[in-house]
Amino acid sequence: MREAPASPMKSSAPNFRTHLFSSPLAIFVLAAILLSSILFIAHSGSTSSSWFSPSLSSTSSSRSWLNDRRFAAAAAPQPPANGGADSRELHGGVQRLLPSPAPPGPPGLFTGKNNLVGTRKNRSVDLKLERLELDLSRARTAIRLASRSNKNASAPADDKYVPQGAIYRNARAFHRSYLEMERLFKVYVYEEGEPPLFHDGPCKSIYSTEGRFIYNMEMETRFRTRDPEEAHVHFLPFSVTYMVKYLYQTRTFDISPIRRTVIDYVGTIARKHRYWNRSLGADHFMLSCHDWGPEASASISHLYHNSIRVLCNANTSEGFNPLKDASLPEINLRTGSIEGFSGGLSASQRPIIAFFAGGLHGPIRPLLLDHWKGRDNDVRVYEYLPRGISYYDMMKDSKFCLCPSGYEVASPRIVEAIYLECVPVIISEGYILPFSDVLDWKSFSVEVPISEIRNLKKILMEITPGQYLKLQRGVKLVQRHFVISTPPKRFDVYHMILHSIWLRRLNIRIHPKD
């Protein structure tokens, strides 16, 4: 390395240092300065860390984040007065009103080029955001008051349905929340991207919920806005299922092309628009029914940790966080329609106690088949149905339909059972059931732990006829929330998905930056 030229003051430096360090007062001053520097560095490091704490792990409970006693407090939460953990700062001016812990993930995506919130140039934009947040605050209050009231809200003239009964955790709070959603909620769909990877999805397959929602959102007139400043949430309209279909090379198990596509797309959004950077994705959502939906979201840390992920693969052991993520029902539409695939028989006309037929996928089904395949005429468990026997007819003839998880937690059998008025028996671990924010699944289904598979018949036989009739009645009542309608109708599955997103948007506040 080239040596620097000598300084004319260099010869006087030794004498200066000698005098400096020979003074006790000077040594004390230097020690104080050094200690202050260390404390400042430590404090700076703590305040500039990520919004989540690595010591916090995601929930492992399969219970809904809302229960019947806390619905209003959770669906319409307020930050505590003391500014505690419930008002956790996500980034800048974003608060999550309920804590949302998550494990560390891949590097995040952030570009500050368009993050202009708080400047004079954007003061009018800030005022729009403040008005949006004020409306949401009023909605939270209305939901909280409704949860404590003895009166139901009034239904619109075009639909007299009023949620009530045991299938809901808190029917009044749900109804008020739904009406507030209809009154306020606006979704902006980013226009970037071309079909089939974007703005498109499958409508005739086990992943049909993904395609149907994207299609309905594209055709939406009531909840969709063309003005992003009016939006409460922003939709990233990519289809993981079609990415797998068109980008993935079979049997390579290499999903890097899918990851790169998601990174490029969100990067484009972040560069062209200000909204992703404003909240680091907290008011954005993605939706996927493919098993690899969580893997695709993990391409970007802020998408994984901050954004609302609407997933069929709602497994808490794989990072699904019910405080901010929403469970998507898996519906297998073989023909693209449920016509002729609904309704069922009364309990007295169902001679079979329980039924299942399906492949040996995942760790649970082999246990089920090992204990029950071909062993009992009341609990009919098959890997492959004998020729000439109809799968749906067997469901119609059964009191209980067994719904064990396969490779992933979700199963289309749950919705099929609801359509055919067969009480679902959930056999899974870590699965957050769809719409469990508002639906009380215990009122229309049975949950059997994996460890109790061998006692399955005993558990079901202990359910009295009266208890079974209540369960089946609950199945009939809850059908409307899982029906796919064309065009969509109030309280159907499309609107229930929107309501799940609405609840999670209620759980954050976005403030303009100073």
Side-chain angles (χ1 to χ4, degrees):
M1 180 181 294
R2 186 174 179 180
E3 186 175 350
S7 168
M9 295 294 294
K10 187 174 182 180
S11 60
S12 63
N15 291 332
F16 172 77
R17 286 196 296 268
T18 300
H19 292 297
L20 175 64
F21 290 103
S22 63
S23 170
L25 178 60
I27 293 175
F28 176 78
V29 171
L30 285 174
I33 293 173
L34 180 61
L35 180 60
S36 300
S37 300
I38 292 172
L39 292 175
F40 175 78
I41 292 171
H43 175 73
S44 299
S46 65
T47 56
S48 62
S49 61
S50 177
W51 65 269
F52 61 84
S53 171
S55 64
L56 297 176
S57 59
S58 59
T59 177
S60 59
S61 171
S62 61
R63 294 179 60 192
S64 167
W65 69 286
L66 298 178
N67 57 51
D68 49 349
R69 291 188 298 273
R70 288 191 61 218
F71 178 92
Q78 300 287 343
N82 60 4
D86 283 354
S87 59
R88 178 184 297 274
E89 288 285 333
L90 296 185
H91 167 74
V94 182
Q95 288 179 319
R96 190 172 298 286
L97 304 183
L98 290 175
S100 180
L109 176 68
F110 173 68
T111 170
K113 294 180 180 179
N114 296 312
N115 193 9
L116 303 177
V117 182
T119 63
R120 290 185 178 180
K121 181 178 179 180
N122 289 276
R123 184 55 185 163
S124 62
V125 174
D126 293 346
L127 290 174
K128 289 183 178 180
L129 176 60
E130 290 173 357
R131 282 195 292 269
L132 286 179
E133 291 299 329
L134 180 60
D135 287 339
L136 293 177
S137 180
R138 289 169 176 165
R140 295 185 191 103
T141 301
I143 297 168
R144 181 180 294 105
L145 293 175
S147 70
R148 301 168 183 169
S149 172
N150 294 323
K151 297 181 179 180
N152 284 306
S154 299
D158 61 340
D159 191 328
K160 299 299 183 182
Y161 179 71
V162 176
Q164 55 187 332
I167 64 170
Y168 300 107
R169 294 181 176 276
N170 188 315
R172 291 184 296 275
F174 168 52
H175 193 202
R176 171 48 60 192
S177 177
Y178 191 92
L179 294 179
E180 292 294 325
M181 177 189 76
E182 290 185 318
R183 184 176 68 87
L184 292 174
F185 199 35
K186 294 298 179 184
V187 181
Y188 179 75
V189 182
Y190 285 111
E191 298 180 357
E192 286 75 11
E194 298 292 336
L197 302 185
F198 306 93
H199 306 282
D200 197 3
C203 293
K204 293 182 181 181
S205 74
I206 198 172
Y207 309 118
S208 62
T209 320
E210 179 179 312
R212 284 304 183 105
F213 182 88
I214 294 174
Y215 173 80
N216 288 331
M217 199 74 254
E218 292 288 332
M219 300 293 106
E220 179 63 63
T221 57
R222 179 169 190 169
F223 294 99
R224 183 177 178 181
T225 177
R226 302 288 177 173
D227 181 0
E229 300 294 345
E230 294 180 351
H232 299 93
V233 294
H234 300 74
F235 181 36
L236 302 166
F238 58 79
S239 169
V240 176
T241 302
Y242 274 178
M243 287 183 186
V244 174
K245 180 178 179 179
Y246 294 106
L247 301 179
Y248 173 69
Q249 294 185 5
T250 307
R251 298 181 181 178
T252 63
F253 301 101
D254 178 16
I255 66 170
S256 58
I258 299 170
R259 287 180 176 272
R260 286 195 298 269
T261 303
V262 173
I263 292 171
D264 289 346
Y265 185 72
V266 178
T268 299
I269 296 299
R271 286 188 297 272
K272 292 183 64 176
H273 304 277
R274 61 193 294 276
Y275 310 103
W276 175 271
N277 294 329
R278 180 176 66 185
S279 66
L280 287 188
D283 57 350
H284 288 58
F285 76 95
M286 61 160 284
L287 179 141
S288 174
C289 204
H290 197 278
D291 292 350
W292 289 354
E295 292 290 335
S297 71
S299 306
I300 301 170
S301 180
H302 298 134
L303 179 61
Y304 183 90
H305 293 299
N306 294 3
S307 299
I308 302 166
R309 300 180 304 157
V310 187
L311 304 171
C312 284
N313 189 7
N315 190 345
T316 57
S317 68
E318 296 180 6
F320 184 89
N321 182 355
L323 294 179
K324 72 170 193 66
D325 300 328
S327 181
L328 183 65
E330 189 168 278
I331 304 175
N332 189 3
L333 290 183
R334 292 180 172 87
T335 64
S337 171
I338 65 170
E339 188 174 348
F341 176 48
S342 60
L345 305 174
S346 64
S348 61
Q349 295 177 297
R350 294 175 180 259
I352 303 170
I353 293 178
F355 164 71
F356 170 79
L360 293 176
H361 303 156
I364 298 177
R365 295 185 187 182
L367 296 175
L368 179 65
L369 269 69
D370 182 57
H371 282 95
W372 294 104
K373 180 182 177 182
R375 293 175 180 242
D376 195 306
N377 200 43
D378 290 328
V379 180
R380 300 192 187 182
V381 174
Y382 304 87
E383 183 177 1
Y384 300 105
L385 275 175
R387 188 181 298 274
I389 296 181
S390 166
Y391 176 79
Y392 295 126
D393 285 346
M394 288 293 289
M395 295 186 82
K396 290 179 180 179
D397 289 340
S398 301
K399 290 181 172 65
F400 298 94
C401 290
L402 307 181
C403 306
S405 295
Y407 287 129
E408 302 297 347
V409 290
S411 170
R413 288 169 180 79
I414 295 176
V415 177
E416 290 170 346
I418 291 173
Y419 284 168
L420 298 172
E421 298 175 10
C422 177
V423 176
V425 177
I426 315 296
I427 310 175
S428 65
E429 190 171 19
Y431 182 33
I432 300 297
L433 291 162
F435 316 139
S436 52
D437 312 278
V438 296
L439 299 180
D440 184 1
W441 279 80
K442 291 182 180 179
S443 69
F444 57 90
S445 69
V446 177
E447 186 174 353
V448 175
I450 298 171
S451 60
E452 294 295 318
I453 286 178
R454 67 182 65 191
N455 299 319
L456 186 60
K457 183 176 180 179
K458 179 177 180 293
I459 292 171
L460 298 180
M461 290 292 290
E462 288 176 349
I463 297 174
T464 66
Q467 291 172 332
Y468 178 81
L469 288 176
K470 289 182 180 178
L471 289 170
Q472 193 187 43
R473 190 178 301 119
V475 171
K476 293 179 182 179
L477 291 174
V478 86
Q479 273 181 353
R480 72 162 56 236
H481 298 312
F482 292 89
V483 168
I484 293 180
S485 310
T486 305
K489 298 179 180 178
R490 299 182 75 238
F491 293 103
D492 68 359
V493 69
Y494 169 70
H495 288 96
M496 290 297 287
I497 296 168
L498 277 177
H499 184 260
S500 294
I501 299 166
W502 156 256
L503 282 182
R504 279 138 187 89
R505 179 58 178 89
L506 281 176
N507 193 33
I508 63 172
R509 279 180 175 164
I510 302 174
H511 304 285
K513 293 183 67 177
D514 296 331

